[in-house]
Amino acid sequence: MKKLFFIYFILFNSIIFGQKSEIGEMVKRADSLDQLKKYEESSVLWKSIISNPKEVNFEYYSGRFAFVNGFLEADNREYEKAKRLFYQAEKHFLRCKKTKEIQKWLSNTYLELSYCFWDWEEALKINKKGLEYTQKYLPNDQNMISFLVDQGDMYRRLRKHEQSIVVLEKAIKKINRLTPKDYENLGYTHNLLAIAYSDLHIHNQSLYHYTKGMEFHQKDNSEDKAYLVNSMNNVIWENLDYGDVNKARDVLTTLNKNFYRWYKNKNFATTDAGNFKEYHLHFRALLYLSNLRIHMYDEKVEESKKYLDSVAFIFDKYPDSRKKIDNTLLLARYDFEYLYVSLVKKEQSKQDEHIKFLKKTLEIAKFSESKHDELVAYLKLAIACNRYKKFDEALTVIEESKKINETFFNASRFSIEVLEATVNEAKGNNEKARQVLVNTFQKLLPKDKKIQSLKKIKYTDFKNFNSSTFLRNTVNAAAIYFLLYEKTKNKEDLLVSNTLYFLASDMFTEFYQKGKYNASLKTFNQEIASGLLKTQLLINPNDQQKIKSILNRIENNASQHLWNVFESKNSQQLKIPASLIRNLNELVFERNTIEQQLELLNETKELKNELAVLDKKIAQVKAKISQKDPSFETFKSANFSIDNVQKKLKKDQVIIKYIVTNKKVYAYSIQQDDIKMVEIGDTPELNTLVKNHLANINSIQAHYIKTGKKLYDVCITPLIQSSSTSKIIFIPEDFLTALAFETLVDKKGKMCIEKQQPSYAYSLKLWDILKDKKSTKGENQMVSFAPNYPKIPSETQIRGLRRADLFDLAEAKKEAKKISEMFDGKLYLNEEANRTNFLQATTDFSLHHLAMHSLVEDDYTQSSLVFSGNQKVLFDELYQLNFPSDLVVLSACNTGVGAIESGEGMMSLSRALTYSGVKSSVYSLWQVPDKETSEIMIAFYENLKEGQSKDEALANAKREFIQKNPMKNHPFYWAGFVVNGDVSPIVTNYFWWKIVGGMAIFILIVYILMAINKKNNSDSKS
């Protein structure tokens, strides 16, 4: 019996062991299939595995079975079935022992379950539950990244953009910590952040994150380049919105070059295709759209039409379900519509065609599921009706658009309502226009802030709106109120207009990326500056505080393109490690981001704690910087204010700054205790007058007296009343930068040079910083360059030779020798005056004299100084140099003139030097004569050696020339050179040495006389 029992026991255990072994193998196979995402096959295995309810791991295997089937149902868009299965999976996993594996599967279940909800609020609840669970048990698991990224996207879809930004910023930090080389996810998350910032109309951040997203997708090695194509298109569109067409064009060139190579790959657009058929076509449509937009900017109608037709061709291939959610064709039509503006200017009959085109666009938009696209279509149609003065039709369209119900107030609705005010003002419905604008701005304010008027609103009342749309509408609203004032003379309208221009100025500060200006930025800045100035002049031109505020804004909103480099160069001269400055910049940027979030959120405890930690870190870094060099803060551009400028002015000094806008030219004078602001004339008329004056000078015509008087009366008389003001610092812009103000003539017939000492500056900010910049004087003070050139002038040519056409300059060489001897300096003559020696000398000497030729090109980056052997130093090279010189004299032609860049000003060689770190420069405004230039230059240096300031030395050199050469008193011969920047003396002790030397000689003479007298007395006694 025992034997039979033993045999039975062995057989039973063998069967059990075999079953367990078989189940184990099945589990391994099912696991492998799950990893390969072959869920249909694995589902069969899991079903077989759970056929025995008494299995020890039954709950775990049942959870896996429910999870796999939930995934399959979700993949088939059977989301209700999927939800039930995922909830079953959750129950099974919760009954299991809490091992890391079980915790991982619960985390996976919450993640997949959250994807089954079209109700984003419900999806967010599941996501938060999953995130909390994963944070507690698996804080370093990659699911943490998925939960954070998904949650950021859910908040964005719920229009809770501030929360979206906070969560997505955390996601990026988590990715960088856990999977720093997951470039696809980094790119995707930056792209989501950009969308959130864009929806908040915080353009500077959206552009930054779109660009970062593109950069990460470029690093990704995936064969599916759909994400990269999408990112590149976003960067193109955002840069076009910003107005940086060149940057957009560069990205599009790269996209066009590579697109079809990527497109042909079988894996292209497969990652997120889901059930969309021919998903890859969408990306071709995006490519066509980007090309259309660039051609639209270039106003190439035929090329733009071809790309519009290409987008429409792809759109027609979509099924109706796809057409309802794809807005590429609408975007293409919106863009093409802009071309009708230029077409109508050429051909009035195109108006009806334009309206018809927009009505067709509206029909397409109504078929779309997107109410926002429908709203945009209404907006475009209403704008066109207003443009063609079909005011009643415009108001009808606007009323129709109000039937669209939105859950949030957006940029398009803001535009429609500002347009409604514009149309009502044009129709004479003044009170209606005012009320519409008050109501529309009310919608931008927090719910608890109620307003009856726009007179006291501030930018801080808003949520950092700074997109081009909000900026344009704010400027338009300000212009409407100014038009109302002009009609009614109601001062309230004027005050509101002024307030709105101030608001637009603050908005522009946030909007502007502190990089190179472009046409769009220039237009905005000119409109805002003009609006601030014209309204304030009417309100109270003597309100010093308000005027200072306006001038500070204008200066701080001016182009920072070259200033940023100048600031960097000066920072390099400080005794601070670059790593410390970078650390400070990173901390400050992070702090600014959190401050923005604090303004937007209710739940602020965590953010306030983060802010406190950052403040402590910033204070620590600043303390370290102060220990290294206390003067660092001097170089920060944000520190600029008119008050600082006034403190540095002397009693006999005045700064005159000119502001050129499209229609008007304004000017203001700054003295120690007074600021005066005036409108000096219409821009076109003044531009013509300046051109005529310059023509009279360059052609050596006597008519310069007549034009000079007119210009003096316009540009100087309204700003200088006191005769005690002997030193004028001119800060011109635009066409005024070519003007030598010393050639202007007062009513008594005296030129400015006869009464005053003029000097120049490129900006108030630069003048301010250069006053504080320390001298670089060392043992090697002076270096001079005088190259030789292959073209030898004839005797006839020598008599009227100008420093142009690359002729050899005999007088320039004599000039360089004389000046070098005067200061016991280093002279590079002929072949030695080459590019290599110049570049070496930039940091070895504190005074640089360049007696040579220069070339001014239409492309200012190719303008250059020409050394021996036709070796050139280009504008961009000068600009990029670290050149800490106290004085550079460009004794060459046209070194102070160049191409006028939109918003940047005159891009001259002298300007490049200033921004490379040069403290002051002397440069020419036209092709100067060789012989006369040498005479003035030598006299200038003689005056400098006597201890005169640079402006005084140059003014006296010019006066001496006129006195010595009465036949050459025409400004052409002497007025071409001007001094810019810091005008302090380069020799500060010369005067005292003269006194000491004189006293020594006097004492010596007295001693000799006393000795002689003593000797005579002695002789007489003997």
CSV table of all heavy atoms in Angstrom, one decimal, residues 6 53 120 194 197 207 379 386-387 400 463 528 839 863 1008:
chain,number,residue,atom,x,y,z
A,6,PHE,N,3.4,5.9,-2.7
A,6,PHE,CA,4.6,6.6,-3.1
A,6,PHE,C,4.6,6.9,-4.6
A,6,PHE,O,5.0,8.0,-5.0
A,6,PHE,CB,5.8,5.7,-2.7
A,6,PHE,CG,7.1,6.3,-3.1
A,6,PHE,CD1,7.6,7.5,-2.4
A,6,PHE,CD2,7.8,5.8,-4.1
A,6,PHE,CE1,8.8,8.0,-2.8
A,6,PHE,CE2,9.0,6.3,-4.5
A,6,PHE,CZ,9.6,7.5,-3.8
A,53,PRO,N,-8.4,29.1,-11.9
A,53,PRO,CA,-8.6,30.2,-10.8
A,53,PRO,C,-7.7,30.0,-9.6
A,53,PRO,O,-7.5,30.9,-8.8
A,53,PRO,CB,-10.0,30.1,-10.5
A,53,PRO,CG,-10.7,29.4,-11.6
A,53,PRO,CD,-9.6,28.4,-12.1
A,120,TRP,N,-11.3,65.8,-21.1
A,120,TRP,CA,-10.0,66.0,-20.5
A,120,TRP,C,-9.9,66.2,-19.0
A,120,TRP,O,-8.9,65.9,-18.4
A,120,TRP,CB,-9.4,67.2,-21.2
A,120,TRP,CG,-9.1,67.0,-22.7
A,120,TRP,CD1,-9.8,67.6,-23.7
A,120,TRP,CD2,-8.2,66.1,-23.3
A,120,TRP,NE1,-9.4,67.1,-24.9
A,120,TRP,CE2,-8.4,66.2,-24.7
A,120,TRP,CE3,-7.2,65.3,-22.8
A,120,TRP,CZ2,-7.6,65.5,-25.6
A,120,TRP,CZ3,-6.4,64.5,-23.7
A,120,TRP,CH2,-6.6,64.6,-25.0
A,194,ALA,N,6.1,75.3,-26.0
A,194,ALA,CA,6.0,76.4,-27.0
A,194,ALA,C,4.5,76.7,-27.3
A,194,ALA,O,4.1,77.9,-27.3
A,194,ALA,CB,6.8,76.1,-28.2
A,197,TYR,N,2.9,78.5,-24.3
A,197,TYR,CA,3.3,79.9,-24.2
A,197,TYR,C,2.7,80.7,-25.4
A,197,TYR,O,2.3,81.8,-25.2
A,197,TYR,CB,4.9,80.0,-24.3
A,197,TYR,CG,5.5,79.9,-23.0
A,197,TYR,CD1,6.4,78.8,-22.7
A,197,TYR,CD2,5.4,80.8,-21.9
A,197,TYR,CE1,7.1,78.7,-21.5
A,197,TYR,CE2,6.0,80.7,-20.7
A,197,TYR,CZ,6.8,79.6,-20.5
A,197,TYR,OH,7.5,79.5,-19.3
A,207,LEU,N,8.9,81.1,-28.9
A,207,LEU,CA,9.9,81.0,-29.9
A,207,LEU,C,11.1,80.3,-29.4
A,207,LEU,O,11.7,79.4,-30.1
A,207,LEU,CB,10.3,82.4,-30.4
A,207,LEU,CG,11.4,82.5,-31.5
A,207,LEU,CD1,11.0,81.8,-32.7
A,207,LEU,CD2,11.8,84.0,-31.8
A,379,LEU,N,-13.2,87.2,-39.1
A,379,LEU,CA,-12.3,88.3,-38.9
A,379,LEU,C,-11.7,88.8,-40.2
A,379,LEU,O,-11.7,90.0,-40.5
A,379,LEU,CB,-11.2,87.9,-37.9
A,379,LEU,CG,-10.0,88.9,-37.7
A,379,LEU,CD1,-10.6,90.3,-37.1
A,379,LEU,CD2,-9.0,88.3,-36.7
A,386,ASN,N,-13.9,96.5,-44.0
A,386,ASN,CA,-13.5,97.8,-43.4
A,386,ASN,C,-12.5,98.5,-44.3
A,386,ASN,O,-12.5,99.7,-44.5
A,386,ASN,CB,-12.9,97.6,-42.0
A,386,ASN,CG,-12.4,98.9,-41.4
A,386,ASN,OD1,-13.2,99.8,-41.2
A,386,ASN,ND2,-11.1,98.9,-41.1
A,387,ARG,N,-11.5,97.7,-44.9
A,387,ARG,CA,-10.5,98.3,-45.7
A,387,ARG,C,-11.1,99.0,-46.9
A,387,ARG,O,-10.6,100.1,-47.4
A,387,ARG,CB,-9.5,97.3,-46.1
A,387,ARG,CG,-8.3,97.8,-47.0
A,387,ARG,CD,-7.4,96.7,-47.4
A,387,ARG,NE,-6.6,96.2,-46.2
A,387,ARG,CZ,-6.6,94.9,-45.8
A,387,ARG,NH1,-7.4,94.0,-46.5
A,387,ARG,NH2,-5.9,94.6,-44.8
A,400,GLU,N,-22.4,88.6,-37.0
A,400,GLU,CA,-22.5,87.2,-37.2
A,400,GLU,C,-21.5,86.4,-36.4
A,400,GLU,O,-21.8,85.3,-35.9
A,400,GLU,CB,-22.3,86.9,-38.7
A,400,GLU,CG,-23.5,87.3,-39.6
A,400,GLU,CD,-24.7,86.4,-39.3
A,400,GLU,OE1,-24.5,85.1,-39.2
A,400,GLU,OE2,-25.8,86.9,-39.1
A,463,LYS,N,-1.9,89.4,-18.2
A,463,LYS,CA,-1.2,88.2,-18.0
A,463,LYS,C,0.0,88.1,-18.9
A,463,LYS,O,0.2,87.1,-19.6
A,463,LYS,CB,-2.1,87.0,-18.2
A,463,LYS,CG,-3.2,86.9,-17.1
A,463,LYS,CD,-4.1,85.7,-17.4
A,463,LYS,CE,-5.2,85.5,-16.3
A,463,LYS,NZ,-6.0,84.3,-16.5
A,528,ILE,N,4.8,103.1,-31.5
A,528,ILE,CA,4.7,103.3,-30.1
A,528,ILE,C,5.4,104.6,-29.7
A,528,ILE,O,4.9,105.4,-28.9
A,528,ILE,CB,5.3,102.1,-29.3
A,528,ILE,CG1,4.4,100.8,-29.6
A,528,ILE,CG2,5.3,102.3,-27.8
A,528,ILE,CD1,5.0,99.5,-29.2
A,839,LEU,N,45.6,93.5,-36.1
A,839,LEU,CA,44.8,92.7,-35.2
A,839,LEU,C,45.6,92.5,-33.9
A,839,LEU,O,45.0,92.4,-32.8
A,839,LEU,CB,44.5,91.3,-35.8
A,839,LEU,CG,43.5,91.4,-37.0
A,839,LEU,CD1,43.4,90.0,-37.7
A,839,LEU,CD2,42.2,91.9,-36.6
A,863,SER,N,31.7,95.8,-45.8
A,863,SER,CA,32.5,97.1,-45.7
A,863,SER,C,33.8,96.8,-45.0
A,863,SER,O,33.8,95.9,-44.1
A,863,SER,CB,31.7,98.1,-45.0
A,863,SER,OG,30.5,98.5,-45.8
A,1008,ILE,N,69.8,132.5,-11.6
A,1008,ILE,CA,71.0,133.0,-12.4
A,1008,ILE,C,71.2,134.5,-12.2
A,1008,ILE,O,72.3,134.9,-12.1
A,1008,ILE,CB,70.7,132.6,-13.9
A,1008,ILE,CG1,70.8,131.1,-14.1
A,1008,ILE,CG2,71.7,133.3,-14.8
A,1008,ILE,CD1,70.3,130.6,-15.5
